[in-house]
Amino acid sequence: MDYTTMCPKYEAAVDVLGKKWTGLIIRVLLGGPKRFKDIKGQIADMSDKMLTDRMKELESQGIVKRTVFPEMPVRIEYELTEKGHNLQPVIESIQAWGENWM
């Protein structure tokens, strides 16, 4: 691998994953579909607005899928797409690195 120049695809990936809270949201959703309040419950220090913004970004990137269930009251769930699930080894590597070095 050539580390002397920056790869645009690597740069784009780091731009997405490097945003505060994004890795934590993906880690939570690796456990399966969740409602907004369940994600928020696992990442307590994040504001509702920040979670909303990050979910919109992840949805626009094709990493998260939002499903609206037409019930009363309306139920909305978020889950990882195939693209999102493919981040599992990345998240697990960060976890392993953190356990060894943090």
Side-chain angles (χ1 to χ4, degrees), residues 32-64:
K34 301 273 186 302
R35 296 176 74 173
F36 187 94
K37 66 180 179 67
D38 298 324
I39 298 167
K40 181 79 172 71
Q42 286 188 255
I43 312 172
D45 293 338
M46 182 175 38
S47 71
D48 287 358
K49 182 184 180 338
M50 183 57 69
L51 179 54
T52 299
D53 291 349
R54 287 295 178 264
M55 295 309 285
K56 286 179 183 175
E57 289 172 11
L58 291 170
E59 191 176 0
S60 73
Q61 291 284 334
I63 294 170
V64 168

PDB file of all heavy atoms in Angstrom, residues 32-64:
ATOM      1  N   GLY A  32     -28.591  -4.561  16.184  1.00  0.00           N
ATOM      2  CA  GLY A  32     -29.902  -4.751  15.573  1.00  0.00           C
ATOM      3  C   GLY A  32     -30.683  -3.452  15.505  1.00  0.00           C
ATOM      4  O   GLY A  32     -30.242  -2.420  16.013  1.00  0.00           O
ATOM      5  N   PRO A  33     -31.857  -3.492  14.877  1.00  0.00           N
ATOM      6  CA  PRO A  33     -32.685  -2.286  14.727  1.00  0.00           C
ATOM      7  C   PRO A  33     -33.024  -1.665  16.082  1.00  0.00           C
ATOM      8  O   PRO A  33     -33.248  -2.378  17.064  1.00  0.00           O
ATOM      9  CB  PRO A  33     -33.955  -2.793  14.035  1.00  0.00           C
ATOM     10  CG  PRO A  33     -33.570  -4.076  13.396  1.00  0.00           C
ATOM     11  CD  PRO A  33     -32.490  -4.662  14.263  1.00  0.00           C
ATOM     12  N   LYS A  34     -33.032  -0.342  16.096  1.00  0.00           N
ATOM     13  CA  LYS A  34     -33.319   0.379  17.341  1.00  0.00           C
ATOM     14  C   LYS A  34     -34.203   1.581  17.028  1.00  0.00           C
ATOM     15  O   LYS A  34     -34.136   2.172  15.964  1.00  0.00           O
ATOM     16  CB  LYS A  34     -32.028   0.908  17.973  1.00  0.00           C
ATOM     17  CG  LYS A  34     -30.990  -0.134  18.325  1.00  0.00           C
ATOM     18  CD  LYS A  34     -31.209  -0.693  19.688  1.00  0.00           C
ATOM     19  CE  LYS A  34     -30.129  -1.636  20.149  1.00  0.00           C
ATOM     20  NZ  LYS A  34     -29.871  -2.779  19.341  1.00  0.00           N
ATOM     21  N   ARG A  35     -34.967   1.976  18.029  1.00  0.00           N
ATOM     22  CA  ARG A  35     -35.732   3.223  17.964  1.00  0.00           C
ATOM     23  C   ARG A  35     -34.832   4.354  18.446  1.00  0.00           C
ATOM     24  O   ARG A  35     -33.824   4.123  19.124  1.00  0.00           O
ATOM     25  CB  ARG A  35     -36.978   3.108  18.831  1.00  0.00           C
ATOM     26  CG  ARG A  35     -37.931   2.026  18.295  1.00  0.00           C
ATOM     27  CD  ARG A  35     -39.107   1.826  19.175  1.00  0.00           C
ATOM     28  NE  ARG A  35     -40.015   2.980  18.999  1.00  0.00           N
ATOM     29  CZ  ARG A  35     -41.209   3.042  19.527  1.00  0.00           C
ATOM     30  NH1 ARG A  35     -41.662   2.058  20.285  1.00  0.00           N
ATOM     31  NH2 ARG A  35     -41.975   4.087  19.326  1.00  0.00           N
ATOM     32  N   PHE A  36     -35.218   5.571  18.108  1.00  0.00           N
ATOM     33  CA  PHE A  36     -34.441   6.762  18.465  1.00  0.00           C
ATOM     34  C   PHE A  36     -34.113   6.777  19.953  1.00  0.00           C
ATOM     35  O   PHE A  36     -32.973   6.959  20.348  1.00  0.00           O
ATOM     36  CB  PHE A  36     -35.232   8.015  18.058  1.00  0.00           C
ATOM     37  CG  PHE A  36     -34.483   9.306  18.208  1.00  0.00           C
ATOM     38  CD1 PHE A  36     -33.792   9.840  17.147  1.00  0.00           C
ATOM     39  CD2 PHE A  36     -34.492   9.995  19.415  1.00  0.00           C
ATOM     40  CE1 PHE A  36     -33.110  11.048  17.266  1.00  0.00           C
ATOM     41  CE2 PHE A  36     -33.810  11.192  19.554  1.00  0.00           C
ATOM     42  CZ  PHE A  36     -33.120  11.720  18.479  1.00  0.00           C
ATOM     43  N   LYS A  37     -35.143   6.567  20.784  1.00  0.00           N
ATOM     44  CA  LYS A  37     -34.943   6.646  22.240  1.00  0.00           C
ATOM     45  C   LYS A  37     -33.999   5.567  22.746  1.00  0.00           C
ATOM     46  O   LYS A  37     -33.290   5.768  23.732  1.00  0.00           O
ATOM     47  CB  LYS A  37     -36.282   6.581  22.970  1.00  0.00           C
ATOM     48  CG  LYS A  37     -37.010   5.251  22.844  1.00  0.00           C
ATOM     49  CD  LYS A  37     -38.335   5.271  23.616  1.00  0.00           C
ATOM     50  CE  LYS A  37     -39.099   3.996  23.497  1.00  0.00           C
ATOM     51  NZ  LYS A  37     -38.504   2.848  24.125  1.00  0.00           N
ATOM     52  N   ASP A  38     -33.957   4.416  22.068  1.00  0.00           N
ATOM     53  CA  ASP A  38     -33.056   3.333  22.479  1.00  0.00           C
ATOM     54  C   ASP A  38     -31.602   3.680  22.144  1.00  0.00           C
ATOM     55  O   ASP A  38     -30.692   3.397  22.929  1.00  0.00           O
ATOM     56  CB  ASP A  38     -33.456   2.020  21.818  1.00  0.00           C
ATOM     57  CG  ASP A  38     -34.859   1.580  22.222  1.00  0.00           C
ATOM     58  OD1 ASP A  38     -35.235   1.799  23.395  1.00  0.00           O
ATOM     59  OD2 ASP A  38     -35.585   1.036  21.364  1.00  0.00           O
ATOM     60  N   ILE A  39     -31.392   4.283  20.976  1.00  0.00           N
ATOM     61  CA  ILE A  39     -30.044   4.725  20.607  1.00  0.00           C
ATOM     62  C   ILE A  39     -29.599   5.803  21.586  1.00  0.00           C
ATOM     63  O   ILE A  39     -28.498   5.752  22.132  1.00  0.00           O
ATOM     64  CB  ILE A  39     -30.022   5.265  19.161  1.00  0.00           C
ATOM     65  CG1 ILE A  39     -30.409   4.168  18.160  1.00  0.00           C
ATOM     66  CG2 ILE A  39     -28.642   5.826  18.822  1.00  0.00           C
ATOM     67  CD1 ILE A  39     -30.719   4.673  16.763  1.00  0.00           C
ATOM     68  N   LYS A  40     -30.478   6.753  21.817  1.00  0.00           N
ATOM     69  CA  LYS A  40     -30.182   7.861  22.738  1.00  0.00           C
ATOM     70  C   LYS A  40     -29.892   7.335  24.141  1.00  0.00           C
ATOM     71  O   LYS A  40     -29.000   7.836  24.822  1.00  0.00           O
ATOM     72  CB  LYS A  40     -31.375   8.827  22.760  1.00  0.00           C
ATOM     73  CG  LYS A  40     -31.211  10.029  23.640  1.00  0.00           C
ATOM     74  CD  LYS A  40     -30.350  11.077  22.974  1.00  0.00           C
ATOM     75  CE  LYS A  40     -30.319  12.370  23.745  1.00  0.00           C
ATOM     76  NZ  LYS A  40     -29.588  12.333  24.985  1.00  0.00           N
ATOM     77  N   GLY A  41     -30.601   6.303  24.556  1.00  0.00           N
ATOM     78  CA  GLY A  41     -30.387   5.717  25.873  1.00  0.00           C
ATOM     79  C   GLY A  41     -29.015   5.087  26.037  1.00  0.00           C
ATOM     80  O   GLY A  41     -28.472   5.044  27.135  1.00  0.00           O
ATOM     81  N   GLN A  42     -28.438   4.617  24.955  1.00  0.00           N
ATOM     82  CA  GLN A  42     -27.116   3.994  25.019  1.00  0.00           C
ATOM     83  C   GLN A  42     -25.989   5.009  24.844  1.00  0.00           C
ATOM     84  O   GLN A  42     -24.839   4.712  25.153  1.00  0.00           O
ATOM     85  CB  GLN A  42     -27.000   2.898  23.964  1.00  0.00           C
ATOM     86  CG  GLN A  42     -27.794   1.655  24.343  1.00  0.00           C
ATOM     87  CD  GLN A  42     -27.526   0.498  23.406  1.00  0.00           C
ATOM     88  OE1 GLN A  42     -28.353   0.170  22.571  1.00  0.00           O
ATOM     89  NE2 GLN A  42     -26.368  -0.109  23.540  1.00  0.00           N
ATOM     90  N   ILE A  43     -26.314   6.196  24.328  1.00  0.00           N
ATOM     91  CA  ILE A  43     -25.319   7.259  24.143  1.00  0.00           C
ATOM     92  C   ILE A  43     -25.862   8.499  24.847  1.00  0.00           C
ATOM     93  O   ILE A  43     -26.279   9.465  24.218  1.00  0.00           O
ATOM     94  CB  ILE A  43     -25.055   7.533  22.647  1.00  0.00           C
ATOM     95  CG1 ILE A  43     -24.816   6.236  21.878  1.00  0.00           C
ATOM     96  CG2 ILE A  43     -23.855   8.462  22.488  1.00  0.00           C
ATOM     97  CD1 ILE A  43     -24.734   6.412  20.371  1.00  0.00           C
ATOM     98  N   ALA A  44     -25.874   8.462  26.146  1.00  0.00           N
ATOM     99  CA  ALA A  44     -26.583   9.444  26.966  1.00  0.00           C
ATOM    100  C   ALA A  44     -26.088  10.884  26.809  1.00  0.00           C
ATOM    101  O   ALA A  44     -26.872  11.816  26.931  1.00  0.00           O
ATOM    102  CB  ALA A  44     -26.509   9.033  28.430  1.00  0.00           C
ATOM    103  N   ASP A  45     -24.809  11.102  26.537  1.00  0.00           N
ATOM    104  CA  ASP A  45     -24.268  12.462  26.486  1.00  0.00           C
ATOM    105  C   ASP A  45     -24.568  13.196  25.182  1.00  0.00           C
ATOM    106  O   ASP A  45     -24.276  14.377  25.058  1.00  0.00           O
ATOM    107  CB  ASP A  45     -22.754  12.442  26.701  1.00  0.00           C
ATOM    108  CG  ASP A  45     -22.381  12.010  28.112  1.00  0.00           C
ATOM    109  OD1 ASP A  45     -23.233  12.137  29.015  1.00  0.00           O
ATOM    110  OD2 ASP A  45     -21.248  11.556  28.308  1.00  0.00           O
ATOM    111  N   MET A  46     -25.144  12.524  24.214  1.00  0.00           N
ATOM    112  CA  MET A  46     -25.431  13.123  22.914  1.00  0.00           C
ATOM    113  C   MET A  46     -26.806  13.794  22.946  1.00  0.00           C
ATOM    114  O   MET A  46     -27.766  13.228  23.433  1.00  0.00           O
ATOM    115  CB  MET A  46     -25.400  12.047  21.831  1.00  0.00           C
ATOM    116  CG  MET A  46     -25.635  12.565  20.448  1.00  0.00           C
ATOM    117  SD  MET A  46     -25.462  11.328  19.152  1.00  0.00           S
ATOM    118  CE  MET A  46     -26.167   9.888  19.889  1.00  0.00           C
ATOM    119  N   SER A  47     -26.892  14.997  22.382  1.00  0.00           N
ATOM    120  CA  SER A  47     -28.176  15.707  22.346  1.00  0.00           C
ATOM    121  C   SER A  47     -29.101  15.085  21.296  1.00  0.00           C
ATOM    122  O   SER A  47     -28.638  14.420  20.361  1.00  0.00           O
ATOM    123  CB  SER A  47     -27.954  17.186  22.015  1.00  0.00           C
ATOM    124  OG  SER A  47     -27.560  17.332  20.660  1.00  0.00           O
ATOM    125  N   ASP A  48     -30.389  15.312  21.442  1.00  0.00           N
ATOM    126  CA  ASP A  48     -31.366  14.829  20.463  1.00  0.00           C
ATOM    127  C   ASP A  48     -31.076  15.398  19.082  1.00  0.00           C
ATOM    128  O   ASP A  48     -31.157  14.700  18.081  1.00  0.00           O
ATOM    129  CB  ASP A  48     -32.790  15.222  20.880  1.00  0.00           C
ATOM    130  CG  ASP A  48     -33.302  14.401  22.054  1.00  0.00           C
ATOM    131  OD1 ASP A  48     -32.592  13.500  22.524  1.00  0.00           O
ATOM    132  OD2 ASP A  48     -34.429  14.670  22.495  1.00  0.00           O
ATOM    133  N   LYS A  49     -30.725  16.695  19.032  1.00  0.00           N
ATOM    134  CA  LYS A  49     -30.435  17.331  17.748  1.00  0.00           C
ATOM    135  C   LYS A  49     -29.230  16.682  17.073  1.00  0.00           C
ATOM    136  O   LYS A  49     -29.248  16.436  15.863  1.00  0.00           O
ATOM    137  CB  LYS A  49     -30.196  18.829  17.929  1.00  0.00           C
ATOM    138  CG  LYS A  49     -29.942  19.521  16.581  1.00  0.00           C
ATOM    139  CD  LYS A  49     -29.612  20.976  16.738  1.00  0.00           C
ATOM    140  CE  LYS A  49     -29.344  21.708  15.444  1.00  0.00           C
ATOM    141  NZ  LYS A  49     -28.956  20.969  14.293  1.00  0.00           N
ATOM    142  N   MET A  50     -28.191  16.408  17.841  1.00  0.00           N
ATOM    143  CA  MET A  50     -26.997  15.787  17.270  1.00  0.00           C
ATOM    144  C   MET A  50     -27.322  14.390  16.744  1.00  0.00           C
ATOM    145  O   MET A  50     -26.883  14.017  15.650  1.00  0.00           O
ATOM    146  CB  MET A  50     -25.874  15.725  18.302  1.00  0.00           C
ATOM    147  CG  MET A  50     -24.574  15.149  17.748  1.00  0.00           C
ATOM    148  SD  MET A  50     -23.920  16.027  16.309  1.00  0.00           S
ATOM    149  CE  MET A  50     -23.433  17.573  17.046  1.00  0.00           C
ATOM    150  N   LEU A  51     -28.090  13.621  17.505  1.00  0.00           N
ATOM    151  CA  LEU A  51     -28.468  12.281  17.051  1.00  0.00           C
ATOM    152  C   LEU A  51     -29.299  12.383  15.768  1.00  0.00           C
ATOM    153  O   LEU A  51     -29.056  11.642  14.810  1.00  0.00           O
ATOM    154  CB  LEU A  51     -29.236  11.525  18.132  1.00  0.00           C
ATOM    155  CG  LEU A  51     -29.711  10.124  17.751  1.00  0.00           C
ATOM    156  CD1 LEU A  51     -28.574   9.240  17.240  1.00  0.00           C
ATOM    157  CD2 LEU A  51     -30.406   9.449  18.932  1.00  0.00           C
ATOM    158  N   THR A  52     -30.232  13.315  15.728  1.00  0.00           N
ATOM    159  CA  THR A  52     -31.042  13.514  14.529  1.00  0.00           C
ATOM    160  C   THR A  52     -30.160  13.858  13.330  1.00  0.00           C
ATOM    161  O   THR A  52     -30.306  13.274  12.254  1.00  0.00           O
ATOM    162  CB  THR A  52     -32.081  14.634  14.758  1.00  0.00           C
ATOM    163  OG1 THR A  52     -32.942  14.250  15.830  1.00  0.00           O
ATOM    164  CG2 THR A  52     -32.908  14.896  13.516  1.00  0.00           C
ATOM    165  N   ASP A  53     -29.227  14.782  13.524  1.00  0.00           N
ATOM    166  CA  ASP A  53     -28.320  15.185  12.441  1.00  0.00           C
ATOM    167  C   ASP A  53     -27.470  14.013  11.957  1.00  0.00           C
ATOM    168  O   ASP A  53     -27.332  13.791  10.751  1.00  0.00           O
ATOM    169  CB  ASP A  53     -27.408  16.332  12.883  1.00  0.00           C
ATOM    170  CG  ASP A  53     -28.151  17.641  13.097  1.00  0.00           C
ATOM    171  OD1 ASP A  53     -29.341  17.738  12.709  1.00  0.00           O
ATOM    172  OD2 ASP A  53     -27.541  18.564  13.675  1.00  0.00           O
ATOM    173  N   ARG A  54     -26.903  13.265  12.891  1.00  0.00           N
ATOM    174  CA  ARG A  54     -26.044  12.128  12.514  1.00  0.00           C
ATOM    175  C   ARG A  54     -26.855  11.042  11.806  1.00  0.00           C
ATOM    176  O   ARG A  54     -26.388  10.446  10.835  1.00  0.00           O
ATOM    177  CB  ARG A  54     -25.342  11.533  13.733  1.00  0.00           C
ATOM    178  CG  ARG A  54     -24.226  12.379  14.281  1.00  0.00           C
ATOM    179  CD  ARG A  54     -23.065  12.528  13.291  1.00  0.00           C
ATOM    180  NE  ARG A  54     -22.035  13.370  13.824  1.00  0.00           N
ATOM    181  CZ  ARG A  54     -21.920  14.673  13.575  1.00  0.00           C
ATOM    182  NH1 ARG A  54     -22.783  15.277  12.780  1.00  0.00           N
ATOM    183  NH2 ARG A  54     -20.954  15.377  14.111  1.00  0.00           N
ATOM    184  N   MET A  55     -28.079  10.787  12.273  1.00  0.00           N
ATOM    185  CA  MET A  55     -28.904   9.766  11.631  1.00  0.00           C
ATOM    186  C   MET A  55     -29.228  10.175  10.192  1.00  0.00           C
ATOM    187  O   MET A  55     -29.191   9.336   9.286  1.00  0.00           O
ATOM    188  CB  MET A  55     -30.183   9.513  12.423  1.00  0.00           C
ATOM    189  CG  MET A  55     -29.953   8.925  13.809  1.00  0.00           C
ATOM    190  SD  MET A  55     -28.887   7.475  13.836  1.00  0.00           S
ATOM    191  CE  MET A  55     -30.006   6.255  13.196  1.00  0.00           C
ATOM    192  N   LYS A  56     -29.522  11.452   9.967  1.00  0.00           N
ATOM    193  CA  LYS A  56     -29.788  11.940   8.606  1.00  0.00           C
ATOM    194  C   LYS A  56     -28.561  11.774   7.726  1.00  0.00           C
ATOM    195  O   LYS A  56     -28.671  11.367   6.563  1.00  0.00           O
ATOM    196  CB  LYS A  56     -30.232  13.406   8.640  1.00  0.00           C
ATOM    197  CG  LYS A  56     -31.640  13.592   9.139  1.00  0.00           C
ATOM    198  CD  LYS A  56     -32.027  15.062   9.180  1.00  0.00           C
ATOM    199  CE  LYS A  56     -33.413  15.243   9.745  1.00  0.00           C
ATOM    200  NZ  LYS A  56     -33.772  16.659   9.913  1.00  0.00           N
ATOM    201  N   GLU A  57     -27.387  12.088   8.267  1.00  0.00           N
ATOM    202  CA  GLU A  57     -26.141  11.936   7.509  1.00  0.00           C
ATOM    203  C   GLU A  57     -25.899  10.470   7.152  1.00  0.00           C
ATOM    204  O   GLU A  57     -25.561  10.149   6.005  1.00  0.00           O
ATOM    205  CB  GLU A  57     -24.950  12.466   8.313  1.00  0.00           C
ATOM    206  CG  GLU A  57     -24.919  13.965   8.451  1.00  0.00           C
ATOM    207  CD  GLU A  57     -23.837  14.445   9.413  1.00  0.00           C
ATOM    208  OE1 GLU A  57     -22.976  13.635   9.824  1.00  0.00           O
ATOM    209  OE2 GLU A  57     -23.847  15.635   9.751  1.00  0.00           O
ATOM    210  N   LEU A  58     -26.047   9.596   8.145  1.00  0.00           N
ATOM    211  CA  LEU A  58     -25.805   8.171   7.910  1.00  0.00           C
ATOM    212  C   LEU A  58     -26.819   7.593   6.931  1.00  0.00           C
ATOM    213  O   LEU A  58     -26.485   6.723   6.121  1.00  0.00           O
ATOM    214  CB  LEU A  58     -25.819   7.405   9.234  1.00  0.00           C
ATOM    215  CG  LEU A  58     -24.637   7.704  10.166  1.00  0.00           C
ATOM    216  CD1 LEU A  58     -24.871   7.102  11.533  1.00  0.00           C
ATOM    217  CD2 LEU A  58     -23.347   7.206   9.559  1.00  0.00           C
ATOM    218  N   GLU A  59     -28.043   8.094   6.993  1.00  0.00           N
ATOM    219  CA  GLU A  59     -29.070   7.651   6.049  1.00  0.00           C
ATOM    220  C   GLU A  59     -28.716   8.121   4.631  1.00  0.00           C
ATOM    221  O   GLU A  59     -28.807   7.349   3.675  1.00  0.00           O
ATOM    222  CB  GLU A  59     -30.434   8.187   6.480  1.00  0.00           C
ATOM    223  CG  GLU A  59     -31.580   7.581   5.727  1.00  0.00           C
ATOM    224  CD  GLU A  59     -32.941   8.053   6.217  1.00  0.00           C
ATOM    225  OE1 GLU A  59     -33.021   8.873   7.164  1.00  0.00           O
ATOM    226  OE2 GLU A  59     -33.942   7.592   5.640  1.00  0.00           O
ATOM    227  N   SER A  60     -28.277   9.363   4.498  1.00  0.00           N
ATOM    228  CA  SER A  60     -27.919   9.889   3.176  1.00  0.00           C
ATOM    229  C   SER A  60     -26.692   9.183   2.594  1.00  0.00           C
ATOM    230  O   SER A  60     -26.555   9.088   1.379  1.00  0.00           O
ATOM    231  CB  SER A  60     -27.693  11.401   3.231  1.00  0.00           C
ATOM    232  OG  SER A  60     -26.477  11.708   3.871  1.00  0.00           O
ATOM    233  N   GLN A  61     -25.831   8.660   3.474  1.00  0.00           N
ATOM    234  CA  GLN A  61     -24.645   7.914   3.028  1.00  0.00           C
ATOM    235  C   GLN A  61     -24.976   6.452   2.693  1.00  0.00           C
ATOM    236  O   GLN A  61     -24.115   5.712   2.240  1.00  0.00           O
ATOM    237  CB  GLN A  61     -23.560   7.936   4.113  1.00  0.00           C
ATOM    238  CG  GLN A  61     -22.936   9.285   4.338  1.00  0.00           C
ATOM    239  CD  GLN A  61     -21.955   9.647   3.245  1.00  0.00           C
ATOM    240  OE1 GLN A  61     -21.374   8.802   2.598  1.00  0.00           O
ATOM    241  NE2 GLN A  61     -21.778  10.940   3.031  1.00  0.00           N
ATOM    242  N   GLY A  62     -26.207   6.028   2.982  1.00  0.00           N
ATOM    243  CA  GLY A  62     -26.596   4.646   2.723  1.00  0.00           C
ATOM    244  C   GLY A  62     -26.079   3.670   3.758  1.00  0.00           C
ATOM    245  O   GLY A  62     -26.012   2.469   3.525  1.00  0.00           O
ATOM    246  N   ILE A  63     -25.747   4.185   4.955  1.00  0.00           N
ATOM    247  CA  ILE A  63     -25.219   3.352   6.039  1.00  0.00           C
ATOM    248  C   ILE A  63     -26.343   2.908   6.970  1.00  0.00           C
ATOM    249  O   ILE A  63     -26.304   1.815   7.528  1.00  0.00           O
ATOM    250  CB  ILE A  63     -24.117   4.118   6.810  1.00  0.00           C
ATOM    251  CG1 ILE A  63     -22.913   4.343   5.868  1.00  0.00           C
ATOM    252  CG2 ILE A  63     -23.700   3.391   8.076  1.00  0.00           C
ATOM    253  CD1 ILE A  63     -21.869   5.285   6.408  1.00  0.00           C
ATOM    254  N   VAL A  64     -27.350   3.754   7.116  1.00  0.00           N
ATOM    255  CA  VAL A  64     -28.489   3.483   7.995  1.00  0.00           C
ATOM    256  C   VAL A  64     -29.779   3.575   7.176  1.00  0.00           C
ATOM    257  O   VAL A  64     -29.905   4.413   6.292  1.00  0.00           O
ATOM    258  CB  VAL A  64     -28.528   4.496   9.169  1.00  0.00           C
ATOM    259  CG1 VAL A  64     -29.836   4.417   9.926  1.00  0.00           C
ATOM    260  CG2 VAL A  64     -27.365   4.257  10.115  1.00  0.00           C
TER     261      VAL A  64
END
